[in-house]
Amino acid sequence: TWGRVAAANSVSDIYAMGARPLVALNHVGWNTHALPTELLGDVLAGGQHLADEAGFEVGGGHTIHAADPKYGMAVTGEVHPDRILTPAGLVAGQDIVLSKPLGIGVITTAIKAGSAPDDVTEAAVASMTRLNDVAARIAVAAGATGCTDVTGFGLLGHLGRMAIDSNVSVAVEFDAVPFLKGAIELAADGAMPGGSRRNLEWGTDVLDAGSHGELNQLMIADAQTSGGLVFGVDPAHTAHVLSELEASGHTAALIGHTAAGAPGFVLR
C-alpha cells in the first residue's frame, strides 16, 4: 500500500501539467538493520503495480542506507508545449473544481495514533491510490488553464499560490469543499498534523477567512498526500466536467470562483 501511495503521489505532478508519464526511477532509503529486505520488495511491488496501472515504465532506481525508510519516484513525462497546464494559468471569471476530497493529513495522523476507524482508513487509502490521470484528461478536454495537484501545502497553500501567480482573487465556499468521511470529526478530536498548522501560518497573509474559525481554516490547509487536482474552467463547461468526474468514480466538486482583484484566497 505504501508503494502504491508513494508512486501515485510521485506521478501526480506529471498529470497536474496535463502531461503523460513515460518512465520513472525508484528512490529508496532503507535501514537493513531494522527492516527486512522482503518488506522493501513489497514496497517496490506496490510502486510497480501503480506504474502498470498508469502505463509507465520503471527503469531502475537508486537505493541508499537511511535511518528512516523512504520511498518515492522521479517521473518523466511528455506534453505538447502549447498545452502545458501551470499554476499561473488561472484567469478571472472561472469556476474552481477540486477532483478529490480533503482530509488525508488528519486521517493519516489519526492512523498513527490508532484512532482512525477501519472504514475511514480504507477510504483514505483508496483516495491516495487513485491516479489523477482521468481528472487531468477531463480538465484538458474542458479547456482548463491553471491547474496543480493538492499535496503537502494543502488546498490553501496550493490554490493560494495559484491565485498569487495568476494575479487573481479566488473565493472558496467552505460548505462546497468535499472532505473524506470522518476527517472533520477526527480533526475536532485533535488529530491535526503539524504540517497543516504550518500551512495555515504561511497562509495568514493570503487568506481572508471571514467568520470561519480555526478548525475550518486548518481543514482547508490540511496537508495532503496524493491529493486531487484543483483547476480553473469556464463556467459553461463546469457541469460536464463534474458529470465526467463523477462517472469515473471521483468525489469532485465546484468549490469556488476566480475574480479580478487583489490576489488572495477568500474563504466564504
Side-chain angles (χ1 to χ4, degrees):
T1 300
W2 177 23
R4 290 168 60 214
V5 170
N9 190 56
S10 298
V11 74
S12 183
D13 286 318
I14 299 294
Y15 295 130
M17 297 179 71
R20 178 174 74 94
L22 298 175
V23 64
L25 295 177
N26 286 319
H27 289 275
V28 177
W30 204 256
N31 187 342
T32 56
H33 303 298
L35 296 169
T37 53
E38 291 80 9
L39 181 59
L40 174 56
D42 290 341
V43 173
L44 295 176
Q48 183 65 60
H49 179 274
L50 196 288
D52 291 342
E53 179 184 346
F56 63 87
E57 298 295 326
V58 179
H62 306 277
T63 306
I64 62 169
H65 177 80
D68 298 317
K70 301 173 179 67
Y71 172 62
M73 288 178 168
V75 190
T76 300
E78 66 173 359
V79 61
H80 191 285
D82 294 336
R83 292 194 292 272
I84 298 175
L85 299 180
T86 77
L90 294 177
V91 297
Q94 289 182 319
D95 285 344
I96 298 295
V97 173
L98 178 66
S99 70
K100 283 186 185 182
L102 305 181
I104 291 294
V106 167
I107 293 172
T108 53
T109 299
I111 290 171
K112 295 171 190 175
S115 59
D118 289 344
D119 60 335
V120 171
T121 298
E122 291 168 5
V125 169
S127 180
M128 288 187 287
T129 54
R130 175 182 288 279
L131 290 167
N132 282 325
D133 55 345
V134 173
R137 287 198 296 270
I138 292 171
V140 170
T145 52
C147 179
T148 192
D149 55 339
V150 183
T151 49
F153 295 113
L155 180 67
L156 172 60
H158 289 285
L159 186 54
R161 188 73 247 177
M162 288 181 75
I164 294 170
D165 291 348
S166 303
N167 198 34
V168 297
S169 173
V170 174
V172 170
E173 301 285 343
F174 182 83
D175 290 341
V177 177
F179 291 95
L180 286 162
K181 175 184 177 181
I184 293 179
E185 293 79 7
L186 288 167
D189 288 339
M192 186 60 61
S196 299
R197 295 190 181 279
R198 289 189 292 274
N199 290 341
L200 185 55
E201 290 174 8
W202 171 89
T204 300
D205 293 337
V206 72
L207 174 64
D208 176 358
S211 61
H212 290 275
E214 184 185 51
L215 178 61
N216 286 5
Q217 295 178 47
L218 284 167
M219 291 308 299
I220 58 103
D222 189 48
Q224 306 301 284
T225 296
S226 191
L229 301 183
V230 60
F231 56 91
V233 67
D234 188 292
H237 302 302
T238 303
H240 180 69
V241 165
L242 293 175
S243 176
E244 291 281 292
L245 287 167
E246 181 180 359
S248 61
H250 288 78
T251 303
L254 164 62
I255 63 168
H257 313 276
T258 63
F265 188 119
V266 180
L267 189 61
R268 293 178 175 168

